[in-house]
């Protein structure tokens, strides 16, 4: 049985930490389902290049749902 992880991907913008609650500015937010058995750094790199059509992915960050920025 395949288990998918729903990722909420923020891309093309930047984080603004100037206020008490950080905000994501000038970008896109999309949901992507990935097979949990195959998710890796390299799969996330490929997601950025193939799915979101970037020439390369410079940085990756993640946040667990139970944590704050």
């Amino acid at each position: 049985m395949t288990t998918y992880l729903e990722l909420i991907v923020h891309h093309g913008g930047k984080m603004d930490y100037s206020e008490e609650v950080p905000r994501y500015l000038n970008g896109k937010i999309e949901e992507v389902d990935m097979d949990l058995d195959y998710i890796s750094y390299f799969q996330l790199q490929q997601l950025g290049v193939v799915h979101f059509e970037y020439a390369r992915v410079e940085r990756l960050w993640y946040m667990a749902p139970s944590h704050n920025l």
Side-chain angles (χ1 to χ4, degrees), residues 22-68:
R23 297 181 306 150
Y24 185 66
L25 304 174
N26 303 322
K28 297 177 184 176
I29 301 172
E30 299 184 43
E31 295 177 4
V32 178
D33 292 329
M34 295 191 76
D35 186 335
L36 191 57
D37 290 333
Y38 296 103
I39 194 168
S40 69
Y41 173 81
F42 300 105
Q43 288 295 103
L44 293 172
Q45 288 274 344
Q46 183 179 10
L47 176 71
V49 172
V50 174
H51 184 80
F52 297 122
E53 300 180 349
Y54 289 104
R56 69 180 192 281
V57 175
E58 294 181 15
R59 296 181 197 107
L60 291 172
W61 288 273
Y62 72 92
M63 183 184 78
S66 60
H67 292 81
N68 294 325

